[in-house]
Amino acid sequence: MAKIQSIRGMPDVLPEASALRLWVEDRLRGVLDRYGYQQVRMPLLEATALFARGVGDGTDIVEKEMYSFDDRSGESLTLRPEGTAGCVRLCEEHGLLYNQTQRLWYQGPMFRYERPQKGRYRQFEQLGVECFGFPGPAIDAELLGLCSDFWAALGVSDALTLELNTLGSPEARAHYRDALLAYLRPLASQLDEDSQRRLERNPLRILDSKAPETQALLEDAPTLEGSLDAVSREHFDALRRYLDALAIPYVVNPRIVRGLDYYTHTVFEWTTTALGAQGTVCGGGRYDGLVERLGGRPTPGIGFAMGLERLTLLAEAQGLGPVLDGNLDVYVLALDEAHTAQALALGHQLRQALPRLRVQVHCSEGKAKARFKKADASGARYALILGDAEVSQGTVAMKDLRAREGEQRTVALATLIDQWRADYGAEGP
RNA sequence: GUGGGCGUAGCUCAGCUGGUAGAGCUCCGGAUUGUGAUUCCGGCGGUCGUGGGUUCGAGCCCCAUCGUCCACCCCA
């Protein structure tokens, strides 16, 4: 029978990698906490229509990357390819946007049917932040400041660049779309294949094309800048002033248009050159039309999402991560099976008396030699040993596995616990 | 969806112009009958990704297929 293995693009996370991920997540959550953002959790499955309408059915995500299927009642469901649409749905469904502002975050797996490569997987984890009800550019600056604090908390600030652009108001964006179309239609036959396909569906994406022949044609194309109205211009200028006040460096990149239909005004990406081709670690922007588009009252929104796999890869590439002090303080072993019950009870007693102490009890079999080998391999500082002599005397032998000679002494258990409390406080080492 | 690299022990990898599958690490046992990490000795472990073809003979050559990695596309 053929072996069953993990689904393509859906990677397992092994203990060492998981420790690094937890380290990253702890730091990110610390920052969110200091900013007073609140967590929400959406289901992994949503109605397919939510993404078709929210993300935009001309986008690559909706066109060819969604995991969609009919459930047993015939309803079309989709594993979420991103978090913003679901977050808006959650807010609307529970009245979170009625006469109030929100600063929210979520974290969890997203699914896109793409060819896997470095830093890109079919199931990947995003941490997303979404804010609602703030029309002005101050919140744009707050979010970029939040990002900046994320990078500082992780120690990756030097590896990341903020690239910034504005798409303008929905009206300005629509106006520019028309102008660009008018320019490109007569040249359609000279565009690269992908760009021809995008011409009617999503012309702004053509700006992003890497095909040289297309880039050449774009040199004389109307610029987005030229279509900006006064309000759009002022929003962007104010944001830039705020970023200067926060001392956050950035570069304006007019080619950033982003692949989701809902963006307006501010769009941005934090990129790195340290991860190969998948250089975008974090991306987002303002989506003032999205809530309305999904059936709510017009409500300004802005948000971004980070790929945790990419962030973790970046931290790893920078040599960052948790201090490796092992995951155990104490390894309890009976010298033979006759005292297994006492060993289990001792481990239990220690965990109760010293809640922070990390204790593991030998649960395998084998001779004394094998038991000590396990104790050593466990990484624990101390071995607590129970043999005939100790059990009959009500003591335990404590061996320092990390000392040069492995010093060992016999102590009464009560003494040991009191001593540890005295040395480390009630919380243990 | 397209292109290229790579699939040999749990892990990292050797394997010559085609001639009976190897090393290191890990693990287990012994030297040391209540003591690890060092040292020495021994042992377990493989349908060479899978299927077909060529050949007296295939880990090696050919075809197909699957997986994986990287890149394109796009995105986090």
Side-chain angles (χ1 to χ4, degrees):
Chain A
M1 224 160 57
K3 259 190 201 163
I4 296 176
Q5 34 186 111
S6 70
I7 304 302
R8 167 174 225 171
M10 308 211 172
D12 297 314
V13 181
L14 272 37
E16 199 181 331
S18 187
L20 180 57
R21 272 284 278 281
L22 281 172
W23 180 86
V24 168
E25 289 168 11
D26 281 351
R27 267 148 194 78
L28 298 178
R29 288 180 190 184
V31 174
L32 288 162
D33 204 45
R34 284 188 279 135
Y35 273 76
Y37 281 51
Q38 294 181 292
Q39 189 189 19
V40 290
R41 303 183 190 221
M42 292 85 72
L44 270 49
L45 279 171
E46 298 275 3
T48 299
L50 174 68
F51 302 114
R53 227 192 301 165
V55 177
D57 51 15
T59 60
D60 279 15
I61 289 178
V62 173
E63 242 174 32
K64 53 189 190 188
E65 295 176 2
M66 294 205 303
Y67 280 92
S68 299
F69 64 96
D70 292 346
D71 75 1
R72 288 171 185 274
S73 72
E75 184 180 6
S76 178
L77 306 182
T78 295
L79 279 164
R80 61 184 188 189
E82 57 100 54
T84 301
C87 187
V88 169
R89 197 228 79 229
L90 173 150
C91 286
E92 269 303 309
E93 193 161 329
H94 300 280
L96 265 49
L97 305 183
Y98 193 80
N99 290 341
Q100 55 195 314
T101 58
Q102 295 290 347
R103 290 173 163 97
L104 304 173
W105 70 276
Y106 53 83
Q107 183 197 320
M110 307 293 165
F111 302 84
R112 292 183 198 172
Y113 190 89
E114 297 180 275
R115 195 79 168 253
Q117 67 186 76
K118 186 182 183 69
R120 192 174 70 189
Y121 310 97
R122 290 182 174 185
Q123 174 175 331
F124 61 103
E125 191 108 344
Q126 278 189 341
L127 192 155
V129 175
E130 316 286 353
C131 296
F132 299 95
F134 303 93
I139 195 71
D140 306 29
E142 174 173 303
L143 282 183
L144 290 167
L146 177 67
C147 289
S148 180
D149 284 353
F150 279 149
W151 318 143
L154 293 170
V156 298
S157 304
D158 291 347
L160 288 169
T161 303
L162 172 58
E163 300 187 49
L164 195 63
N165 191 25
T166 181
L167 302 178
S169 62
E171 299 75 31
R173 186 178 169 166
H175 177 262
Y176 177 62
R177 187 193 144 104
D178 293 342
L180 187 64
L181 263 176
Y183 171 80
L184 286 174
R185 271 209 190 95
L187 306 170
S189 61
Q190 300 172 54
L191 292 169
D192 65 276
E193 197 180 324
D194 282 330
S195 295
Q196 290 192 25
R197 188 167 45 81
R198 289 193 196 114
L199 191 55
E200 298 301 327
R201 308 202 66 157
N202 207 342
L204 261 59
R205 291 224 52 82
I206 296 176
L207 296 178
D208 236 358
S209 170
K210 284 167 190 150
E213 67 268 32
T214 300
Q215 278 303 316
L217 290 174
L218 286 170
E219 278 183 21
D220 296 322
T223 60
L224 215 160
E225 173 99 42
S227 291
L228 291 184
D229 49 50
V231 175
S232 301
R233 224 176 278 274
E234 172 50 27
H235 188 102
F236 196 49
D237 289 345
L239 171 58
R240 295 173 66 167
R241 288 198 302 275
Y242 298 159
L243 288 177
D244 291 342
L246 288 170
I248 296 174
Y250 61 89
V251 296
V252 174
N253 179 354
R255 290 184 18 162
I256 294 185
V257 296
R258 305 195 49 76
L260 287 64
D261 272 359
Y262 49 60
Y263 287 111
T264 57
H265 290 290
T266 311
V267 289
F268 59 89
E269 293 183 3
W270 293 86
T271 60
T272 179
T273 54
L275 296 182
Q278 306 305 317
T280 304
V281 164
C282 172
R286 182 167 275 279
Y287 45 84
D288 289 343
L290 180 59
V291 174
E292 187 176 11
R293 186 161 161 172
L294 289 174
R297 303 200 302 190
T299 306
I302 181 169
F304 64 85
M306 294 178 288
L308 294 185
E309 289 85 357
R310 289 182 188 179
L311 254 189
T312 304
L313 281 172
L314 182 59
E316 200 175 16
Q318 307 283 110
L320 302 166
V323 179
L324 299 170
D325 66 337
N327 58 336
L328 274 188
D329 299 306
V330 171
Y331 191 89
V332 180
L333 66 139
L335 285 173
D336 57 68
E337 294 215 56
H339 302 308
T340 298
Q342 286 89 338
L344 289 166
L346 175 54
H348 187 65
Q349 194 180 344
L350 285 171
R351 292 187 195 102
Q352 288 194 319
L354 298 156
R356 297 258 306 253
L357 196 69
R358 299 167 303 176
V359 180
Q360 207 161 79
V361 178
H362 184 84
C363 288
S364 310
E365 300 175 6
K367 300 182 178 177
K369 179 191 170 89
R371 291 165 188 251
F372 276 92
K373 280 185 87 137
K374 279 268 198 303
D376 183 55
S378 78
R381 169 83 190 271
Y382 295 107
L384 291 183
I385 305 147
L386 291 169
D388 291 338
E390 288 79 11
V391 169
S392 64
Q393 294 163 22
T395 60
V396 61
M398 180 172 77
K399 176 168 181 147
D400 186 342
L401 293 167
R402 307 304 150 203
R404 269 191 303 275
E405 300 300 325
E407 288 91 349
Q408 182 172 328
R409 60 200 171 101
T410 302
V411 292
L413 186 58
T415 310
L416 180 64
I417 291 177
D418 289 345
Q419 185 62 48
W420 267 338
R421 281 206 174 112
D423 288 353
Y424 305 115
E427 304 214 312

